[in-house]
Amino acid sequence: MSSQRQVLPTNVKPVHYDLTLKPDLETFVFYGQVKVDLEVKEDTTEIVLNTHDIEIHSAVLASTSLKTESKQQAKSITYDKKKDLATLTFEQSLPANAKAQLDLQFKGELNDQMAGFYRSSYKDAEGKTQYLATTQFEATDARRAFPCWDEPAIKATFDVTLIVPAELTALSNMDVKSEKPYVDTAKMTSGKHEGKHEGATGKHEGKHEGAVGKHEGKHEGATGKHEGKHEGATSGKHEGGAVKKNLKQVKYARTPLMSTYLLAFIVGPFEYIEAYTSGKHNGHPVKARVYALPGSVEQGRHALNVATAALEYFAKVFGEQYPLPKIDMVAIPDFEAGAMENWGLVTYRNVALLFDEKSSSIVFKKSVAYTVCHELAHQWFGNLVTMEWWEHLWLNEGFATWVGWLAVDHIFPEWNIWVSFVNEDMPRALNLDALRSSHPIEVAVNDPAEIHQIFDAISYYKGASVIRMLSSWLGVDTFLAGVRRYLQKHKYGNASTTDLWEALSDEAGVDVSQFMNLWTKRVGYPVLTVEESGNHDIKVTQSRYLSTGDLEQDEDTTVWWNPLRILTPEKVESFTLTEKSQNFFIPESGLYKLNAGQTSVYRVNYPIEAVLRLAEEIKKGPGGLLSNAADRVGLIADSGNLCVSGEQRTTAFLELAQAFVNETDYFVWAQLSMHFSNIIGVWADQPDQVVDQLKALRRSLFAPVAHRLGWDFAPTDDYLTNLLRVLALTNAGRSNDTEVIAEAKKRFWDFVGGNNEALHPNLRGPVYGIVLLTAEDEAEEFKLWESILKIYQDESLPTDQRMIALNALGGIKSQELVMRYLKMSLDGQVRGQDSIYVFRALGTNPDARDLFWKYFSQNYETLHAKFSKSLSLFGSAVRSAVSGFTSFDKLEEIEAFFAHKDTKEYARPLQQALESARVNAKWIQRDRGVVADWATKYAAN
């Protein structure tokens, strides 16, 4: 274990928590009691645990080994707010090997920061704002809900009891054991220990006595209209105590051994739909439910169907039945991440769980399926076996990303998931990892405050990419057999990256760590430069790839193991490059491509002759060497990125793109689209005639596809055809295709006028973008913008449709509208979690970039105050405000601005954003001239 880690003392070890919480959804205060069974490891008079914004009212310690009456009150309770610690000091020492029970009474706040035990707002049927209570504990926020040992390796069992308004649904990780009217003894609110602890409270006695008595009866007579649906709503009399008619006490079954960050509880007026798995691999059918606020739960049907299939699939591939009695998936209005894998009670942003078959956009169908599979994979990989410390976070997230897609591929084979992975997920990882400010997959984390910065594309997508590379190298069946071995050995415990490598090595009979440590412990990845000797062999040399294109010798020290998988017309050669430079055989035809199927993590820089040969193969279509779409996607990705770093000229990409004129595959078109958008975005401030020719080339490729596929979705069209239709129309419209623009405007105004059929849900986002981009003057832009704003404000629409509108509102030129849009992110018109859409939209809009930066820098303190509690949101704001710039002068101004700020909390996204901007500036500086010459020639043709 790293000696620098900020960890708790090991003098006592918690083995079981008995936790009772009583949240008040009107005062936003909760009271709690936790009894923790402890094993005493060393003689001690002191217990240190984690708390954050929790007031401990009393602490009583009982032990079988104390000589006196065996209970003692803490003589002092002190807090270290910086380190989230509470220290309880006792008079009598606890001897080693004793058993003890710590009984704490405490009070906390249902905060509005989307962390810990927090409140989330929604509008009821009358349009009034109401609140529900929910949790988000990963990484270190269980300590905001109750005093605990909040580290992933300190596993315990939990008995949870919630005291809540009787008409509401109350959920926790396990199934309900009992539910009855709550008899109020005031012990939850008084700070007194009653009965056997009476009088033991010392100086904390009665401090908050009666603090919430005044809210009694507040929920009395609240409607019971959802009663039947929320099983067991209670009422009636109770002998021998004051029954609060409006409260019930819900006890849940005991959890298995688990980490604190996976505990969860939710209280709100939810409705649910349910289904059972087949039970084929779980030994019995598992009950699955989707919970959502009234009126929207039917939109959870797609997620529910995916969940029942995925739970059986994972039980099969992991060789282990799902260990809990049920799985609940809940849509939460305010939610910082996409979803959270709490064991048995998974929480989601609305848009990540709810999908309306009639009125949601098709792109969300895949994202919902994937998010569900990712979170359910964690129920085994992460929850049953948990990382020993946060530096192994990548193992949780990288693996769940890979195996999540594996499950989606099993459930929806027609979606071509692995080509999609090459097209979307790998670039996210490789773009970030091409920066100097990247970090290794496995990164030392000492201070819990740093953890949130590594929940990024490296942990998730590079993690998943190297796992995919490894599974391809070992064979997927061998790889999964090794995973089963790992889960069996470590279930209900904790493990590290090394433990997985050991299990895989034992299964495969090769030293996996020798191969993988280079990929997980070192930053970056290589570009393989190919030289042809003319004698049927090639020389392949590896060096670290940097998108700035200015690698120093002392940065080029890693020699990775690279599975080459050389594709030839006859077969795939399984060579591995294990040295700086090696020679390999190629066929006489000279036809070859490295990285068949794009399973490995590197770029390839071919000599121009080889690129021209591959371009001819592309034109042959299915009969050519590159019949696998993943290989075509990979060739475009390499060319598009090597021009950014200067290994190739940007014009080489523009020439290669023209070979795809007869392409039919959606993912290949999507990769082309991504690089065209990147080039046109970076060149946006260059002379109009240059930008117009770049758009003309894009139009020449995409417009014929758009015109062929048209605007209407036939029931017989498959999923990928529909995605291609949307992509082609988007690119044609954004490249000034007059036919598409005219049709987009006509359909937009028909749709706004009330004809829902005029604009299919799949096309709404693209059309909003096209009409705003091509507005003839400011008056038209205002009129369009106000119409799209109304769509965003319509709360009856599915969440994804509202987010599509919110995102589109950022595609504007008018400075007045940019300011209005920015202010929406601060004045409550946009939920805190959704401000990310505002920042991203403006950051990628060249017409708004300068004003966005000016606003960000002038309102830094306000923005920081609003978002600093959700650090990933603030990091995202920084990234959006900075990364799009393309001039060195602007970079200097930005660096000067941050020079005197304390940037520790967002140092990583800031460095990455500054470097991304520097990459753009160098690229423009290097290739401005050659692209201008190309534009002149292209215009002449």
Side-chain angles (χ1 to χ4, degrees):
M1 186 191 280
S2 160
S3 57
Q4 277 83 48
R5 286 184 191 167
Q6 284 184 25
V7 292
L8 291 164
T10 53
N11 57 340
V12 295
K13 181 188 174 192
V15 290
H16 177 69
Y17 294 80
D18 183 350
L19 173 64
T20 301
L21 289 169
K22 184 182 176 203
D24 187 317
L25 291 169
E26 299 192 4
T27 60
F28 308 136
V29 167
F30 64 87
Y31 289 87
Q33 178 173 16
V34 66
K35 297 174 185 174
V36 192
D37 294 343
L38 301 171
E39 289 175 358
V40 184
K41 301 296 185 188
E42 301 160 21
D43 292 3
T44 187
T45 55
E46 200 171 78
I47 292 177
V48 182
L49 37 58
N50 295 117
T51 61
H52 183 126
D53 291 344
I54 291 278
E55 261 177 54
I56 299 174
H57 293 163
S58 86
V60 175
L61 187 61
S63 171
T64 48
S65 355
L66 290 175
K67 295 186 180 62
T68 59
E69 208 271 299
S70 88
K71 286 183 187 58
Q72 53 174 329
Q73 175 74 28
K75 63 178 186 179
S76 72
I77 303 175
T78 57
Y79 299 91
D80 179 340
K81 290 201 168 165
K82 213 168 174 191
K83 292 187 174 172
D84 288 355
L85 300 176
T87 301
L88 315 174
T89 310
F90 296 91
E91 196 68 55
Q92 297 174 49
S93 179
L94 281 175
N97 302 317
K99 300 268 192 285
Q101 189 182 70
L102 178 65
D103 189 341
L104 301 173
Q105 296 217 357
F106 57 92
K107 172 188 172 187
E109 182 200 0
L110 285 175
N111 67 67
D112 59 356
Q113 295 159 15
M114 295 184 282
F117 196 14
Y118 72 91
R119 65 186 189 261
S120 173
S121 66
Y122 63 94
K123 296 270 196 335
D124 65 15
E126 283 75 53
K128 287 206 297 238
T129 297
Q130 304 286 1
Y131 292 89
L132 57 90
T134 184
T135 55
Q136 170 60 39
F137 289 167
E138 189 178 29
T140 56
D141 285 320
R143 62 192 66 176
R144 287 176 183 247
F146 63 105
C148 57
W149 282 255
D150 200 10
E151 291 172 12
I154 308 180
K155 287 192 166 184
T157 54
F158 294 83
D159 287 336
V160 173
T161 302
L162 297 176
I163 298 164
V164 299
E167 73 279 7
L168 297 182
T169 299
L171 303 171
S172 189
N173 305 75
M174 299 295 286
D175 48 335
V176 173
K177 200 167 75 171
S178 72
E179 187 173 300
K180 61 185 183 187
Y182 172 60
V183 184
D184 185 26
T185 58
K187 77 166 186 176
M188 289 296 295
T189 57
S190 67
K192 271 190 182 177
H193 279 70
E194 46 156 351
K196 58 187 173 181
H197 298 310
E198 210 155 309
T201 52
K203 61 181 179 179
H204 296 291
E205 191 167 330
K207 202 155 115 186
H208 294 272
E209 202 152 326
V212 293
K214 61 181 176 185
H215 300 291
E216 219 165 294
K218 213 181 220 183
H219 300 289
E220 209 152 317
T223 62
K225 61 181 173 181
H226 298 298
E227 208 165 53
K229 246 177 205 170
H230 304 308
E231 49 181 45
T234 48
S235 61
K237 297 175 189 168
H238 198 284
E239 300 292 319
V243 175
K244 298 187 74 172
K245 286 182 198 168
N246 56 328
L247 292 182
K248 63 182 175 183
Q249 177 174 300
V250 187
K251 283 183 184 288
Y252 301 88
R254 182 165 296 188
T255 70
L257 268 180
M258 61 185 282
S259 303
T260 47
Y261 80 87
L262 294 166
L263 199 66
F265 10 92
I266 303 173
V267 183
F270 294 100
E271 297 177 343
Y272 67 83
I273 50 174
E274 73 175 26
Y276 285 78
T277 71
S278 68
K280 184 179 176 186
H281 301 290
N282 277 300
H284 62 93
V286 178
K287 181 167 72 178
R289 285 181 174 178
V290 169
Y291 284 87
L293 288 169
S296 58
V297 72
E298 197 47 51
Q299 294 171 29
R301 188 67 62 186
H302 169 55
L304 187 63
N305 293 339
V306 171
T308 52
L311 283 170
E312 291 298 326
Y313 177 70
F314 287 139
K316 178 185 164 192
V317 299
F318 295 146
E320 181 74 31
Q321 294 177 4
Y322 174 68
L324 300 189
K326 56 87 176 174
I327 185 84
D328 293 330
M329 306 192 296
V330 189
I332 304 291
D334 295 286
F335 196 81
E336 183 178 352
M340 176 63 211
E341 68 269 19
N342 315 301
W343 215 358
L345 182 60
V346 184
T347 45
Y348 296 80
R349 268 185 189 223
N350 285 349
V351 76
L353 185 67
L354 304 180
F355 174 81
D356 187 322
E357 290 286 351
K358 291 192 184 65
S359 52
S360 286
S361 169
I362 193 170
V363 294
F364 289 91
K365 188 163 194 175
K366 184 171 78 173
S367 63
V368 165
Y370 162 67
T371 307
V372 168
C373 289
H374 178 107
E375 302 309 326
L376 294 187
H378 276 310
Q379 305 299 304
W380 285 263
F381 209 101
N383 300 7
L384 183 64
V385 178
T386 308
M387 69 218 151
E388 163 276 321
W389 183 250
W390 297 106
E391 68 200 42
H392 305 290
L393 170 79
W394 85 272
L395 199 57
N396 259 13
E397 298 304 347
F399 183 83
T401 301
W402 176 78
V403 85
W405 283 126
L406 192 72
V408 176
D409 187 44
H410 169 76
I411 300 167
F412 299 102
E414 69 279 12
W415 287 0
N416 285 1
I417 283 305
W418 293 113
V419 185
S420 166
F421 182 87
V422 169
N423 183 56
E424 292 162 26
D425 287 16
M426 278 179 87
R428 285 175 183 157
L430 297 186
N431 292 345
L432 181 52
D433 207 28
L435 302 177
R436 270 194 184 84
S437 49
S438 182
H439 60 85
I441 286 177
E442 236 180 295
V443 64
V445 177
N446 296 321
D447 181 350
E450 297 164 6
I451 297 166
H452 70 93
Q453 295 189 49
I454 58 168
F455 280 82
D456 65 5
I458 302 297
S459 295
Y460 284 73
Y461 303 117
K462 188 182 179 188
S465 299
V466 300
I467 282 170
R468 178 169 173 260
M469 175 167 66
L470 176 62
S471 68
S472 163
W473 190 62
L474 296 176
V476 173
D477 290 342
T478 304
F479 178 79
L480 286 171
V483 169
R484 286 193 284 276
R485 189 185 280 254
Y486 165 84
L487 288 169
Q488 280 306 318
K489 184 173 178 184
H490 300 284
K491 62 184 178 183
Y492 299 110
N494 295 79
S496 68
T497 303
T498 311
D499 293 315
L500 179 60
W501 297 163
E502 277 175 13
L504 290 168
S505 300
D506 290 346
E507 190 64 43
V510 295
D511 185 352
V512 167
S513 62
Q514 190 183 7
F515 174 60
M516 288 303 287
N517 285 346
L518 293 163
W519 290 100
T520 63
K521 292 181 185 296
R522 308 284 183 90
V523 68
Y525 63 90
V527 53
L528 309 188
T529 301
V530 179
E531 297 170 64
E532 297 180 349
S533 64
N535 299 324
H536 308 311
D537 74 351
I538 53 174
K539 181 182 181 185
V540 183
T541 305
Q542 62 171 308
S543 55
R544 182 178 171 192
Y545 176 72
L546 284 178
S547 42
T548 40
D550 56 358
L551 184 71
E552 302 288 343
Q553 204 170 345
D554 63 353
E555 295 174 300
D556 193 22
T557 53
T558 305
V559 178
W560 286 272
W561 281 27
N562 300 283
L564 291 185
R565 290 178 51 80
I566 299 176
L567 174 66
T568 72
E570 292 75 42
K571 60 179 174 179
V572 175
E573 295 281 7
S574 297
F575 300 131
T576 304
L577 174 68
T578 57
E579 297 169 25
K580 180 77 175 158
S581 191
Q582 284 169 261
N583 284 44
F584 299 93
F585 174 78
I586 56 165
E588 282 184 36
S589 64
L591 267 185
Y592 65 93
K593 178 196 171 283
L594 272 59
N595 201 4
Q598 257 4 63
T599 55
S600 295
V601 183
Y602 50 74
R603 303 251 177 247
V604 184
N605 186 10
Y606 296 100
I608 190 65
E609 305 78 39
V611 175
L612 293 172
R613 285 195 294 272
L614 289 171
E616 288 307 308
E617 292 302 304
I618 288 161
K619 290 174 187 169
K620 293 178 188 173
L625 181 69
L626 305 184
S627 58
N628 179 348
D631 287 314
R632 304 197 295 283
V633 169
L635 188 66
I636 296 164
D638 285 348
S639 177
N641 283 283
L642 291 168
C643 66
V644 175
S645 56
E647 267 104 334
Q648 291 181 8
R649 288 294 195 193
T650 305
T651 46
F653 170 80
L654 299 173
E655 299 295 338
L656 176 66
Q658 293 171 65
F660 289 91
V661 64
N662 294 318
E663 181 58 60
T664 57
D665 186 89
Y666 162 73
F667 296 110
V668 178
W669 281 114
Q671 189 67 207
L672 281 166
S673 166
M674 199 187 309
H675 291 283
F676 270 112
S677 293
N678 192 25
I679 293 169
I680 290 167
V682 171
W683 255 257
D685 295 333
Q686 299 305 303
D688 284 352
Q689 63 266 33
V690 177
V691 179
D692 287 347
Q693 292 313 310
L694 289 169
K695 287 186 175 180
L697 172 57
R698 180 167 70 173
R699 185 170 67 245
S700 75
L701 291 166
F702 283 94
V705 183
H707 298 159
R708 175 170 61 82
L709 292 175
W711 289 78
D712 297 316
F713 291 78
T716 50
D717 287 343
D718 64 27
Y719 173 78
L720 293 173
T721 300
N722 286 335
L723 287 177
L724 181 56
R725 172 181 288 114
V726 173
L727 184 80
L729 286 166
T730 305
N731 277 275
R734 297 185 76 85
S735 304
N736 305 328
D737 183 82
T738 49
E739 191 181 316
V740 169
I741 291 168
E743 185 67 17
K745 287 189 176 174
K746 176 179 167 296
R747 285 173 179 262
F748 176 80
W749 289 117
D750 281 359
F751 172 66
V752 168
N755 177 7
N756 267 349
E757 303 299 308
L759 205 48
H760 192 280
N762 295 342
L763 284 169
R764 287 172 193 167
V767 163
Y768 302 159
I770 290 166
V771 297
L772 277 173
L773 183 70
T774 56
E776 311 231 331
D777 51 35
E778 199 162 277
E780 188 186 3
E781 188 177 44
F782 265 76
K783 197 173 157 198
L784 289 160
W785 197 83
E786 294 288 358
S787 301
I788 298 167
L789 178 63
K790 281 202 183 75
I791 296 165
Y792 167 64
Q793 290 167 337
D794 181 354
E795 297 200 5
S796 70
L797 291 172
T799 310
D800 70 279
Q801 289 297 309
R802 297 185 59 223
M803 292 308 112
I804 283 168
L806 177 62
N807 186 57
L809 290 170
I812 39 188
K813 298 183 184 73
S814 156
Q815 304 291 285
E816 186 184 329
L817 290 177
V818 171
M819 286 311 294
R820 271 182 65 188
Y821 186 51
L822 273 165
K823 283 175 182 154
M824 282 168 62
S825 72
L826 280 179
D827 65 9
Q829 287 186 69
V830 174
R831 283 185 190 268
Q833 64 181 31
D834 297 331
S835 301
I836 197 166
Y837 293 96
V838 175
F839 301 146
R840 272 188 204 149
L842 295 176
T844 53
N845 176 358
D847 294 310
R849 222 172 258 152
D850 284 311
L851 190 58
F852 177 26
W853 167 250
K854 186 178 173 188
Y855 181 86
F856 178 90
S857 53
Q858 287 174 351
N859 294 277
Y860 173 85
E861 299 304 337
T862 312
L863 286 160
H864 186 259
K866 182 171 170 70
F867 295 113
S868 63
K869 293 293 189 293
S870 309
L871 288 166
S872 61
L873 288 180
F874 191 70
S876 182
V878 170
R879 192 181 283 116
S880 297
V882 172
S883 59
F885 286 109
T886 59
S887 85
F888 291 109
D889 291 348
K890 200 75 191 177
L891 267 167
E892 277 179 35
E893 177 194 324
I894 292 167
E895 284 175 322
F897 173 80
F898 283 109
H900 306 295
K901 302 273 184 287
D902 177 4
T903 61
K904 180 187 167 191
E905 293 165 337
Y906 54 88
R908 218 181 271 284
L910 174 61
Q911 285 313 112
Q912 290 163 355
L914 286 166
E915 198 175 344
S916 298
R918 200 168 288 114
V919 166
N920 294 341
K922 285 190 168 185
W923 182 16
I924 280 280
Q925 194 178 46
R926 189 190 315 115
D927 273 11
R928 182 190 282 123
V930 293
V931 172
D933 293 345
W934 169 88
T936 306
K937 287 183 193 144
Y938 188 75
N941 291 338

